[in-house]
Each structure stands twice: as structure tokens, then as C-alpha cells.
Amino acid sequence: MSAPDEIHQVVILPPEIEAARAKVRRRRSIALGLGLALFALTFYLLTIIKMGPALFDRAL
């Protein structure tokens, strides 16, 4: 294999910036998780509503 054309430098950021970025990532992850849960719950409820009362009137 050939060597890469350019070597990327690793930049070490101060702990304050890393903490701020981690906080933003955590908030974004929580927001995405809540959005996904709300999306799934919406489909679940719409399915139950669309089935209507017949859902509870079936033979076991």
C-alpha cells in the first residue's frame, strides 16, 4: 500500500470545550431518542385506533 498524501494532525481541545461538546451530543441524543419514541408511539396508537372496537371483539 502507498502512504497517504497528507497526514492529518490530531488536535487536542481543552477540557472545557470537550465537556461542552459532550453536553451538546448528549442533548441531541436524548432529543433523537424522544423523537423516535414519539414516532413509534404515534404509529402504535394510529394502528389501535384504525382497528377500532373490533380489536376487542375477537375470539380467543
Side-chain angles (χ1 to χ4, degrees), residues 33-56:
L34 288 174
L36 180 59
L38 184 62
F39 186 68
L41 182 65
T42 301
F43 271 96
Y44 177 75
L45 291 175
L46 288 175
T47 302
I48 298 298
I49 291 169
K50 187 173 180 173
M51 288 179 163
L55 177 67
F56 303 107

Side-chain angles (χ1 to χ4, degrees), residues 26-38:
R26 180 167 171 75
R27 284 185 180 173
R28 185 173 43 230
S29 295
I30 290 172
L32 284 171
L34 288 174
L36 180 59
L38 184 62

Side-chain angles (χ1 to χ4, degrees), residues 4 8 11 14 24 31 37:
H8 297 284
V11 178
V24 169

